[in-house]
Structure formats: structure tokens, C-alpha cells
Amino acid sequence: MSKDASLKFHMNLGMLIRSAHNSMTERFVQNVFNSGLDISMDQWMVLGPIWQLESPSHKDLGEICLRDKPTITRIIDSLEDKSLVVRVSDQIDHRIKRVVLTKAGKQLFYDVLPIMEKTREEVRGEIPEEQIEIFKNVLSKIIKNLNS
Amino acid sequence: MSKDASLKFHMNLGMLIRSAHNSMTERFVQNVFNSGLDISMDQWMVLGPIWQLESPSHKDLGEICLRDKPTITRIIDSLEDKSLVVRVSDQIDHRIKRVVLTKAGKQLFYDVLPIMEKTREEVRGEIPEEQIEIFKNVLSKIIKNLNS
DNA sequence: ATATTTTAGTTGCAAATGCAACCAAAAAAA
DNA sequence: TTTTTTTGGTTGCATTTGCAACTAAAATAT
């Protein structure tokens, strides 16, 4: 057996993916910090969809953000602690909690948006658009491959 | 501001990357478990390079696996607990600890190899080779973009 | 109408991670 | 040669996860 034949692909892929992900969040957090704002990557990941969807349920958020229920609960907890969102029970289905941005939450969202934009540019660097497209495409396919 | 214009890319990218990574490790762990073997993704990530490099230092492993020092220390601890590797002080530079596979470690490596192979196939599915190449390429570029 | 199952969200706890402080050995400077 | 700095690795602690168990409400079955 040759010493690096089959070995390389899978190992590297996992390691590369983790490392890229880490670097991205790290950079985002740093950019946020440098702007004097205060929001974690996780919180931001949820804040966006809340803004987009107006008043999503935890479940909606979990599906969009691809995270499990406890994680969503806790992130919402932390956002609520900071008075960025409020939980509102659904009028008809009392199991469902809808999440709504407060004024401060909206403000923070608008403040962070350009930072996200900046981070996005830094992440992309010189990588051509069509490669990014393929990249995202492959990611989606991988996720699909593994959940069926 | 349109409700999904600039927003989508970055958010989704982070979420997709995390999700893909999670699915991959989950599948690997599951396949390993189904084969009656016992090794975590992290341990495997390190075991491979140890096998490849013969007797790498912690530092080597950290660089290859893109993980920090404490993490490597702990993974090696866990491998040592399972008697899969041993730490050997470098003869000349006594700061350096070299990691060497035991017989059991080698055996496990060979046992897990086909499982990794299988997982790799499942991850890739129908994705064409050249897209995978671009994918890995973009990952490397992103990491590079963010560490300079 | 009552009992059972499913769904939405929460909580608790054990394990993993990240950071900073730390130790020991080697290299560089004084 | 002695002191200072750097390097390789470890440890401790606070924070974050991931899982499984749990509660409450709605949907379904009896």
C-alpha cells in the first residue's frame, strides 16, 4: 500500500473544512470586536434569519441554521438576555414560540451587516465567483449525500 | 435594502460548512461503530498522519491536522490510554515528543482504512472529481486568505 | 370523551474546545 | 558563562457542544 494514496483525500477534507470554518468565525468575531460591537457568530447566524423571516419559530431557525433544538434554545436565551429579541407564544399553537427582534436587535443587525459584508470579502479574497458557486454547490451536495 | 440580497452568501456559507463537517464526522463515527471498532474522528485524524510520518512530533501533527497544541496533547493522551501510540522523547532535542504507533495502533489503522474509504465514497456520492478538486482548492484558499 | 402519540421547546449533565498560564529544554544575546 | 528569549508541550478553567430525558400542548386513535 502506498503511503499516501487513498489516505489523503478524506483526511484532508475534514481537516480543511474544520480549519476553514474556524478561521471564518474567528475573523468575523474579530471584525465585530474591532467595530466595538458585541455579538457572537452563533448569535449572528440566528439574528439574520430572524430578521429575514420576521417571526420564525425555533423549529424554523433550527432548519435554516442547521442546528439542533437545544442549541437554538440557548442562542435565543442569550439573545433575549441581551434584549435583542423576545419570545412570543404562537396565538393558535401554544407549543410554538416565535422569535421577534426588538428595536435594539434590529439596530444591531443593521450595524453588523457591513461587518459581515467585509468579512465575506476577506474570506473570498481573489477566489473567482464561479469557484465559490461550485464550492457552495458541493457543500450542499455533500450534506444531501449524507442525509438520505 | 432587499431582504436577502447581501445577506445570503456569508450566512449560508458558514452554516453549510459546519453542517457538512458535522454530517461527515457523524457518518464516519457511525460507520466505525457499525464495524465494531472504536475510534473517534479526532483520533483517526491524528492516527493517519502518525502512520504516514512514522514518528511525528506534536508540532508536526498540529500543523498537518490544523489543530492547536492542547488539542493534540489531549488526542495523543487518549490514544496512549488506548495503547495505540506511545510518546518518545526526541534523542537530541529533549523538548520534542515523538509519537509512534504500537502494534495495536497499526492494526487499528489498517482496520479503519476501508471504513474511511467507504465513508469517503458516501460523502462524495455523484459529485464529479473536478468539482471536488475545486472544492478542496477553495477551502485551502479561504484558509490562506484568512491567515495573512 | 379519554387515552396515546407526536411535536415544540427546555433542562441537565458529561464530554469537547479554546485560551491563557505554565514548565522545561534549547537557542540567542549579553 | 550567565541571562533572556523562544520553542515544544502540558494543565486548568471557563465556555460550548451534543445527547438524552423531560414537560407541555396538539393531533390522532380508541
Side-chain angles (χ1 to χ4, degrees), chain B residues 24-87:
Chain B
M24 283 171 58
T25 35
E26 195 181 307
R27 177 64 64 100
F28 175 79
V29 168
Q30 197 180 312
N31 285 342
V32 166
F33 180 78
N34 290 342
S35 310
L37 297 169
D38 176 33
I39 186 171
S40 74
M41 185 60 152
D42 282 343
Q43 290 172 340
W44 172 250
M45 287 273 202
V46 171
L47 204 67
I50 298 174
W51 178 79
Q52 260 188 319
L53 303 179
E54 308 283 357
S55 58
S57 66
H58 284 206
K59 194 186 176 231
D60 296 336
L61 292 172
E63 278 162 10
I64 288 183
C65 303
L66 304 167
R67 315 214 67 176
D68 64 358
K69 304 189 289 176
T71 303
I72 295 293
T73 296
R74 281 173 187 130
I75 296 175
I76 303 296
D77 283 347
S78 71
L79 290 170
E80 214 170 24
D81 287 346
K82 289 176 160 186
S83 302
L84 297 172
V85 305
V86 286
R87 271 185 251 240

Side-chain angles (χ1 to χ4, degrees), chain A residues 54-111:
Chain A
E54 308 283 354
S55 59
S57 66
H58 283 206
K59 197 189 172 225
D60 296 335
L61 291 172
E63 278 162 10
I64 289 185
C65 302
L66 304 167
R67 316 215 65 176
D68 66 356
K69 303 188 294 178
T71 304
I72 296 295
T73 295
R74 280 172 188 132
I75 296 175
I76 303 296
D77 282 348
S78 71
L79 290 171
E80 216 170 23
D81 286 348
K82 288 175 161 186
S83 303
L84 298 171
V85 304
V86 285
R87 270 184 254 240
V88 183
S89 278
D90 188 286
Q91 287 298 342
I92 17 185
D93 187 336
H94 293 310
R95 289 171 303 184
I96 296 173
K97 302 264 178 76
R98 305 203 161 276
V99 185
V100 183
L101 288 179
T102 62
K103 194 153 183 176
K106 279 196 196 103
Q107 186 54 54
L108 184 59
F109 175 80
Y110 290 122
D111 290 343

